[in-house]
Amino acid sequence: MSILDETHAPERRSFVATANGHPDFPIQNLPIGIFSRDGGERRSGIAIGDAIFDIGLALQSGLFEGEARMAAEAAAAPELNAYLALGAPARVALRRRVSALLAVDCPEQSQVEACLHPSSDCAMHLPARIGDYTDFYVGIHHATHVGRLFRPDSPLLPNYKHVPIGYHGRASSILASGTAIRRPNGQTKAADADAPTYGPSRRLDYELEIGVFIGPGNSLGEPIAIGDAAEHIAGFCLLNDWSARDIQAWEYQPLGPFLAKNFASTISPWVVSPEALAPFRIAQTPRAEGDPQPLPYLFDEKDQRQGAFDLELEALLVTEALSQKGLPPHRLALSNTQHMYWTVAQMIAHHASGGCNLQPGDLLGSGTISGPDLASAGSLLEATEGGKSPIRLASGEERLFLEDGDEIIFTARARREGYVTIGFGACRAKVLPARQ
Ligand code: CA
């Protein structure tokens, strides 16, 4: 865990007026991302209120020195892999300097102002070249709800409380927030049909997850000790693991998800650092009475004490009818990362435990994070009880699964008494009709 410093002080305010009280990007957050302006080159920047602080311009203006300068030089690129690889000391140096530059009473304010772009003029892109993507399954309520649809008496498989379950996903189809996704065509077979057919998925779903960017990697064959795992985390984002349930149901045995999940995954574009989230660290939710203890390679006292975090997650649905009638988005779920059965450090330690090498810019997904009840269900599969009980919207529409034109929006909020609330920005995408 990072030590709290002046960058977390609640009294620190920015001369960028929109940052003060901003739901996502006050000066205490400072997430990093990749943007472009007017279709120009990709550049790195830091979100501050409704503006983006351009790291490359700030470097040219001589606003950095020492370790912060080295970090800014690595970050001033069209993708952040080299910067993510540097790890915590470089991140902290850059954070402290950028925080000072954007604070009220900064002596270099006029120079800093020349490095700011209005966010509304910028397009956001993927923050890094994602070499590999692995999606876990650590949301225990999600695993229980989904398992119950198939196995009412024993929803969790016997391995669940021993192994952080995951599958290797597809990195090439990960998209930045705002890019529409296309409904996949695929092979499905209705339960009462004799043979499968090929066509548009009719059970398109979302999954509410967080993503974790890997910072420093590990060498092939060298596991990551659980006590060191946090040092490999470069930051966090929101992740929508779009899922075609009908394709999934037909293809998933015996090897797990394949085309049901490889057509698109959407992430929020800002990398929120472990330092920004440090005030919101909490103890891992204690395991239920009778649950097994993690094996030693997955257990660390410090990780149990502060390896979880308190992050509120919200999933919203916008339909064309809701927009036309001027109605607000429909809240599908309000959940929290406290419902993760395994910590991010446990996910990392497990992933590398057999010798697999993680690399800077790799993305790990948490798996769907649902709470215990329907109001916190992080997928439609759960919220509609397997596609049986429709969700009713204020527009008079109903949904079992997503329709063309629907948009899913995720947001995240970290709050704690005595600290300034921070968010992640939106993870949003609209569903386009399947290709004919
Ligand atoms: Ca998933």
Side-chain angles (χ1 to χ4, degrees), residues 69-318:
R69 183 182 173 87
M70 282 168 46
E73 282 170 349
E79 52 193 27
L80 292 170
N81 298 68
Y83 168 72
L84 301 181
L86 294 178
R91 260 192 340 255
V92 170
L94 186 66
R95 174 181 169 85
R96 295 182 75 171
R97 178 58 179 156
V98 172
S99 177
L101 287 172
L102 292 167
V104 165
D105 298 330
C106 166
E108 294 101 336
Q109 181 174 333
S110 59
Q111 276 173 278
V112 177
E113 278 172 335
C115 302
L116 295 174
H117 307 283
S119 302
S120 54
D121 288 359
C122 300
M124 296 304 300
H125 305 281
L126 289 181
R129 176 175 27 82
I130 300 170
D132 277 301
Y133 159 51
T134 303
D135 199 22
F136 282 84
Y137 198 53
V138 308
I140 188 168
H141 298 297
H142 172 74
T144 305
H145 296 157
V146 173
R148 193 172 287 144
L149 297 173
F150 303 101
R151 298 172 300 277
D153 297 332
S154 59
L156 289 179
L157 289 167
N159 57 9
Y160 189 83
K161 292 178 175 176
H162 298 275
V163 184
I165 299 292
Y167 71 95
H168 284 120
R170 184 76 192 168
S172 65
S173 51
I174 299 174
L175 306 165
S177 176
T179 307
I181 67 125
R182 195 169 280 285
R183 177 183 302 274
N185 286 303
Q187 191 179 132
T188 59
K189 185 178 129 5
D192 54 357
D194 292 334
T197 55
Y198 178 83
S201 168
R202 285 181 291 198
R203 289 163 74 95
L204 181 61
D205 200 354
Y206 73 96
E207 291 193 337
L208 176 60
E209 308 195 12
I210 60 159
V212 179
F213 277 101
I214 296 296
N218 60 305
S219 302
L220 182 65
E222 289 181 17
I224 295 171
I226 177 76
D228 300 334
E231 294 165 23
H232 295 265
I233 302 172
F236 301 86
C237 62
L238 286 162
L239 167 67
N240 185 346
D241 178 28
W242 300 97
S243 299
R245 302 299 180 195
D246 42 0
I247 299 173
Q248 187 178 0
W250 175 229
E251 75 172 6
Y252 86 104
Q253 288 178 316
L255 288 187
F258 187 27
L259 274 65
K261 288 169 179 279
N262 74 2
F263 57 95
S265 312
T266 304
I267 62 171
S268 56
W270 294 105
V271 183
V272 176
S273 69
E275 290 70 38
L277 279 180
F280 312 101
R281 286 277 176 190
I282 54 171
Q284 174 66 345
T285 304
R287 293 186 161 210
E289 185 90 19
D291 280 8
Q293 280 305 295
L295 287 170
Y297 80 98
L298 293 172
F299 186 84
D300 178 72
E301 289 281 357
K302 190 176 165 204
D303 179 48
Q304 291 297 308
R305 215 164 49 236
Q306 58 189 39
F309 43 97
D310 181 1
L311 182 68
E312 191 179 280
L313 306 172
E314 186 174 30
L316 302 168
L317 168 66
V318 179

Side-chain angles (χ1 to χ4, degrees), residues 133-134 136 210-212 214 347-348 351 358 362-366:
Y133 159 51
T134 303
F136 282 84
I210 60 159
V212 179
I214 296 296
M347 288 158 52
I348 290 173
H351 201 306
L358 295 170
D362 282 359
L363 185 70
L364 307 184
S366 58

